[in-house]
Amino acid sequence: MKTKVICPGSFDPVTIGHIDIISRASGMFDHVIVAVLNNLVKNPSFTTDERIALLKQATKEFDNVEIVGFDGLLADYAKKRGVNVIVKGLRAVSDFEYEFQQALTNKKLNPELETVFLTSNAEYMYLSSSMVKQVASLGGDISSFVPQCVHDIIIERLK
Ligand code: PNS
C-alpha cells in the first residue's frame, strides 16, 4: 500500500527548517501533502496564495510533494484526503507541549490519525517563521534562514 502523509503548517513564510522536514518526509513516504492552513487565527504576513507559491517554488525538485491550502480541522481534511499519518518537525522542548496537545486532539477527532515527529536538524533548531519575519523587517540578513530561490520575494514583502 502506498503511504500518503500530510505535513501541515502555517508556513508564514517557509524556512529551510520546513524544507528539511519536507525533503526527509519525501524520502520516507510515497506521497507528501504539504497542507497550508488558510484560516489562521494569527494575522499572517503572507496570504495563503503567497505561502503556497513560495512552497511550490522551494519544493519543485520533489516529485512526490503536493502543496495545497486547507480550511477547518486538519483531522477532517486528512479524512477527506484518505490520509492517516501527519508528519511534523519537532525542534526543541519548547515545541513539545503544543505539538503533543495537537497530536492528541487530532487523534481524538479522528482515531485513525497518527502523528509522526521528525526531529529537527540540529542546524535549524532555533529557526522559526516569526524569527525570519522579525530579522527581515529590521533589515537583517535572512539568507541562511530561507530557501535561496524564494529569498528575494520574502525580503521584498517584509522589508
Ligand atoms: O506551523 P504551525 O503554526 O505549527 O501549524 C499549526 C497547524 C496548522 C498544523 C494547526 O494549527 C492546525 O492543524 N490547525 C487546523 C485547525 C485544527 O485542526 N485544530 C485542532 C488541532 S490543533
Side-chain angles (χ1 to χ4, degrees):
M1 199 183 73
K2 297 218 166 201
T3 317
K4 246 195 303 186
V5 300
I6 290 189
C7 274
S10 314
F11 304 104
D12 186 42
V14 62
T15 69
I16 49 170
H18 294 132
I19 297 302
D20 174 60
I21 297 294
I22 293 168
S23 138
R24 286 158 61 197
S26 152
M28 293 168 71
F29 302 102
D30 296 306
H31 188 73
V32 179
I33 300 168
V34 177
V36 181
L37 182 62
N38 192 18
N39 54 343
L40 279 183
V41 179
K42 46 194 177 185
N43 256 353
S45 302
F46 294 81
T47 66
T48 309
D49 286 346
E50 285 171 331
R51 287 179 277 137
I52 288 175
L54 293 173
L55 274 160
K56 280 190 174 162
Q57 178 78 13
T59 59
K60 59 179 181 221
E61 71 192 91
F62 308 116
D63 291 341
N64 61 344
V65 172
E66 173 191 356
I67 314 292
V68 294
F70 81 103
D71 283 296
L73 289 173
L74 178 61
D76 290 343
Y77 183 70
K79 195 176 275 178
K80 193 169 105 186
R81 294 295 311 263
V83 176
N84 288 333
V85 181
I86 295 170
V87 174
K88 294 214 78 181
L90 198 58
R91 284 171 304 192
V93 180
S94 53
D95 271 351
F96 182 76
E97 197 173 334
Y98 184 52
E99 292 297 342
F100 195 69
Q101 194 180 25
Q102 287 184 68
L104 291 178
T105 306
N106 285 325
K107 183 103 184 132
K108 193 81 184 164
L109 294 169
N110 174 354
E112 289 178 2
L113 212 42
E114 299 293 350
T115 301
V116 171
F117 292 107
L118 296 183
T119 46
S120 148
N121 186 316
E123 255 184 83
Y124 310 138
M125 271 190 76
Y126 63 92
L127 195 52
S128 69
S129 297
S130 33
M131 199 270 302
V132 165
K133 286 190 279 194
Q134 188 178 100
V135 173
S137 64
L138 296 172
D141 179 8
I142 58 162
S143 55
S144 54
F145 304 154
V146 299
Q148 199 216 323
C149 60
V150 293
H151 170 269
D152 292 355
I153 305 171
I154 293 175
I155 282 286
E156 191 54 38
R157 278 285 276 100
L158 293 175
K159 75 179 182 197

